[in-house]
Amino acid sequence: MTAFPSAGPAGTCSRRPAAPHRRRGATLTAAVCAVLAGALAGCAAEDPDAGTNGVGRLPADKIQAKAQTAAHGAGTVRLSGNLVSQGRTYKLDMRLGPQGARGELATKAATFQLLRVDGALYLKADAGFWAREKNADPSKNDGTSVAKLVGKYVKVPSSDPVYKRFSGFTDKDVLLGSLLGLHGKLTTGDRGTLDGTRTIRIAAGQGAGGTLDVSLEGEPYPLRLRRAGDAGEVRLTDWGKPVQIQAPADSQVIDYGKSITLGD
């Protein structure tokens, strides 16, 4: 006689429950997969260069070269902060373009505006500034009184010491060339953020030769410079943004034609 499997309730056939060792094996496999998946996800999350422009993977000298190339390739930039130049501390806020610049400089005793259009440099200051000017006189040799200089753009001759001293603050390539060259052996420093932008820091001489924070997003622009010897800190922003630079109206210009020496 042929044997049939016994029927369970409602006439269904009964099935053997899964063997305990099979259940344990499946559970162990699932646990291992979960651990591996978590580990892989953790590795991806810990990659500091994920989603960046990749310069963080480069040695410090390559990062500096990339930053310099990006800076010189941009048409415009805004520089703001403090610089020590020729023994004087200047607070500056300058917008620089390929054909000139405009902005403001301030010393301990004076504040004045600078405007350069092509090769012409203009300086605009208040009465206090002109009164403190070393060689100031209520009436210059050309008969121009201090009062008449207020609110005017004084065109500075290219042969004047003032032109030589301040034209560099209005020349993008000259200014960036002097600022972006760190002094000493370069090393890669910490990653961070600056105004919401991820950055990588490079340092010269373990920081004694200056530091530079470079963008890890988009173009590797330099975003902050700390100069060696506490010679100032500068922020570099608005890369590539339009800068309106035009010569002032003739009625607003005084062509000094004489040597101007600024006060301390």
Side-chain angles (χ1 to χ4, degrees):
M1 179 180 294
T2 304
F4 293 94
S6 60
T12 59
C13 295
S14 64
R15 295 180 180 179
R16 292 182 181 181
H21 70 276
R22 291 181 180 176
R23 292 198 300 271
R24 288 195 298 270
T27 301
L28 179 60
T29 300
V32 170
C33 289
V35 170
L36 289 175
L40 292 174
C43 290
E46 292 172 2
D47 181 1
D49 295 302
T52 72
N53 55 24
V55 298
R57 298 185 177 96
L58 301 176
D61 59 336
K62 298 294 185 182
I63 297 175
Q64 182 187 44
K66 289 279 189 181
Q68 290 174 334
T69 299
H72 289 296
T76 60
V77 65
R78 179 181 182 182
L79 270 67
S80 57
N82 298 281
L83 284 178
V84 177
S85 177
Q86 299 179 354
R88 294 178 178 175
T89 299
Y90 295 95
K91 182 178 180 181
L92 77 161
D93 188 355
M94 298 295 302
R95 298 175 186 271
L96 302 102
Q99 303 302 322
R102 62 178 174 85
E104 185 175 274
L105 286 183
T107 65
K108 182 171 58 177
T111 299
F112 49 96
Q113 297 178 36
L114 287 177
L115 171 65
R116 185 176 65 82
V117 182
D118 294 324
L121 180 67
Y122 303 89
L123 189 152
K124 186 178 182 181
D126 59 18
F129 170 86
W130 294 115
R132 285 188 295 268
E133 186 199 348
K134 283 183 178 179
N135 293 334
D137 190 295
S139 178
K140 289 284 189 179
N141 294 332
D142 60 1
T144 303
S145 67
V146 169
K148 290 182 179 180
L149 299 178
V150 177
K152 299 289 186 178
Y153 286 95
V154 176
K155 188 175 182 180
V156 183
S158 59
S159 59
D160 192 281
V162 168
Y163 187 99
K164 297 175 182 178
R165 180 185 301 168
F166 294 116
S167 61
F169 285 100
T170 65
D171 189 310
K172 174 178 173 287
D173 289 336
V174 169
L175 189 54
L176 291 181
S178 66
L179 291 177
L180 299 182
L182 302 179
H183 305 290
K185 182 179 179 181
L186 296 177
T187 55
T188 303
D190 296 332
R191 289 171 169 79
T193 58
L194 195 60
D195 295 334
T197 299
R198 297 168 68 181
T199 60
I200 180 75
R201 177 172 296 173
I202 57 175
Q206 298 182 336
T211 65
L212 187 67
D213 295 312
V214 178
S215 175
L216 285 172
E217 301 177 16
E219 291 292 328
Y221 291 125
L223 300 182
R224 178 170 58 192
L225 168 74
R226 290 190 174 99
R227 301 185 75 196
D230 296 324
E233 179 176 323
V234 177
R235 296 284 297 274
L236 303 97
T237 58
D238 295 349
W239 289 101
K241 292 186 177 181
V243 176
Q244 296 298 322
I245 299 172
Q246 59 184 19
D250 290 343
S251 61
Q252 296 297 308
V253 175
I254 294 177
D255 193 340
Y256 224 73
K258 302 290 183 181
S259 177
I260 301 173
T261 304
L262 299 182
D264 293 326

